[in-house]
Amino acid sequence: MADPPSPPAENEKALHRELIVIGASAGGVEALGNVFSGLPRELPAAVLVVLHVLPTGTSVLPMILERAGHMPAASARHGEKLERGRVYVAPPDHHLLVWEGRIQLSRGPHENGHRPAIDPLFRSAARYAGRQVIGVVLSGTLDDGTAGMRLIKECHGATIVQDPADSMYTGMPQSVIDHGLADYVLEAGEIADCLCALLDTPLVTAPEPSIAAAPAVGGLTLDIADNRSARKGTATGLTCPECGGTLWAHEEGDLLRFRCHVGHAYSLESMQIEQGRALESALWSALRTLEEQIDLFQRISRRSPNTSTSRRFEQRVADASHDADTIRHTIVQLGRTAVHDEGGEEPAA
């Protein structure tokens, strides 16, 4: 665990952390409940939460967090001003961002296969609050949140992850730890005390790192317009699993990420998963075409019974049926691999 910062000298101006951003995925509802049960109602910081959820329906996570703890929680609304002691939850199918002390909701491109995704929130929070932000990554599969935690660290914010031994799914917190980005590794029930201690500890003012804030264009922050800088990376021979556009590779320290020209972004792990999903979709399309061919060949065969034409199309039916069975078997195997790689299904709050 990192040592707490030293108290400021008498002639130095002190400031305090004021923003907490939390990301979670599979197993995250229980972990979030454990965190919020220990936070006081008068918490001197705004708290923003992203949980990977299905794009349809209404999230009940604000209700869950209010019942688990003492702070008022609500689904975030575009343009509302951040207030200390309040919890803002990303609504389904919208990225949650911070811009000039206000909430920004965006239906920008999916990142790591998700909207809302954790990385966009963490990036925008780091650019807005710098040293005054605390990032928290809880239970989840794969590695959404790792790139965002890197920017928080570069801005000298504090980073906390749930101990993988305490996590229902270890992928997300373990990824942050493996990249050396975790200041504190704690059980979910211990995180609230750490947050309170960090908020109570004054910071010494210091020059901020040279992380360029994104300008506003058309009412949207261009943290999302990091999308427009996609071509500053290295062009690859890969295509975006979602839109088919060219992917550019971006080196972020020891992290390798891919982004297409419209902004869909992937880590190495999420790229593997999304390619698998795209492949499965293509296989289902091929299977559908084969089934249609089988039906057509059978109709032709029945119209010319006991002829060379009938025998030729009966053979085509047999060949297409064999190919269809092969594709079905491949799809089943891909499904088993995906469940193993992702560690199970993602939750819906």
Side-chain angles (χ1 to χ4, degrees):
M1 179 179 292
D3 294 329
S6 302
E10 291 185 1
N11 61 344
E12 291 181 313
K13 182 181 177 182
L15 68 159
H16 288 78
R17 296 177 174 90
E18 60 181 20
L19 182 64
I20 299 170
V21 289
I22 304 177
S25 185
V29 174
E30 179 180 350
L32 284 164
N34 289 333
V35 172
F36 278 88
S37 65
L39 293 176
R41 184 178 182 86
E42 301 79 14
L43 192 78
V47 184
L48 280 67
V49 179
V50 165
L51 175 70
H52 293 160
V53 294
L54 297 175
T56 56
T58 302
S59 173
V60 297
L61 184 60
M63 185 187 308
I64 293 173
L65 298 183
E66 281 199 341
R67 290 177 177 176
H70 312 283
M71 300 176 64
S75 182
R77 295 178 299 172
H78 183 74
E80 67 180 314
K81 187 176 180 180
L82 290 177
E83 295 181 14
R84 295 182 178 184
R86 295 188 60 84
V87 182
Y88 304 86
V89 177
D93 206 28
H94 288 77
H95 291 307
L96 174 61
L97 306 171
V98 183
W99 178 251
E100 295 183 342
R102 294 185 180 272
I103 296 292
Q104 288 251 322
L105 298 180
S106 168
R107 298 196 70 227
H110 292 75
E111 293 206 24
N112 299 318
H114 297 287
R115 189 174 62 204
I118 300 167
D119 281 335
L121 169 62
F122 283 17
R123 289 199 307 267
S124 68
R127 286 172 169 157
Y128 164 67
R131 301 179 65 212
Q132 294 175 271
V133 67
I134 305 172
V136 182
V137 169
L138 303 176
S139 174
T141 63
L142 303 183
D143 56 2
D144 190 23
T146 298
M149 286 289 244
R150 175 173 294 283
L151 189 58
I152 290 175
K153 285 283 285 184
E154 289 177 359
C155 292
H156 305 295
T159 58
I160 303 172
V161 299
Q162 184 179 3
D163 189 337
D166 181 58
S167 305
M168 190 176 299
Y169 295 90
T170 63
M172 285 182 7
Q174 191 63 57
S175 176
V176 177
I177 294 169
D178 290 345
H179 287 88
L181 301 174
D183 293 331
Y184 305 89
V185 180
L186 303 168
E187 293 184 2
E190 301 171 331
I191 291 176
D193 287 342
C194 183
L195 289 172
C196 291
L198 288 170
L199 293 172
D200 288 341
T201 304
L203 298 168
V204 177
T205 56
E208 291 293 330
S210 56
I211 302 295
V217 172
L220 291 178
T221 74
L222 285 197
D223 175 68
I224 269 207
D226 280 343
N227 307 340
R228 295 189 178 178
S229 66
R231 299 188 186 188
K232 293 181 181 179
T234 302
T236 72
L238 302 173
T239 57
C240 175
E242 186 159 351
C243 70
T246 299
L247 286 172
W248 279 261
H250 296 260
E251 296 278 354
E252 300 175 6
D254 57 349
L255 290 174
L256 178 62
R257 289 170 52 79
F258 301 94
R259 188 182 292 270
C260 73
H261 67 285
V262 300
H264 298 118
Y266 308 91
S267 66
L268 278 173
E269 290 189 13
S270 64
M271 182 66 177
Q272 174 192 346
I273 296 299
E274 293 304 314
Q275 281 185 329
R277 290 173 178 165
L279 175 58
E280 181 181 345
S281 178
L283 288 172
W284 281 116
S285 179
L287 181 59
R288 184 193 70 245
T289 301
L290 282 170
E291 294 289 357
E292 291 174 354
Q293 277 194 334
I294 291 169
D295 180 71
L296 176 62
F297 295 159
Q298 288 174 333
R299 291 172 184 269
I300 295 173
S301 178
R302 287 195 297 267
R303 292 179 65 86
S304 306
N306 302 317
T307 63
S308 60
T309 297
S310 175
R311 290 190 292 272
R312 185 169 73 255
F313 279 94
E314 286 174 358
Q315 182 59 50
R316 290 187 180 182
V317 167
D319 292 342
S321 296
H322 176 269
D323 292 342
D325 289 342
T326 299
I327 290 177
R328 284 195 185 91
H329 176 73
T330 301
I331 291 173
V332 169
Q333 293 301 115
L334 283 173
R336 290 172 180 167
T337 301
V339 169
H340 177 269
D341 288 344
E342 295 188 65
E345 296 182 353
E346 295 169 358

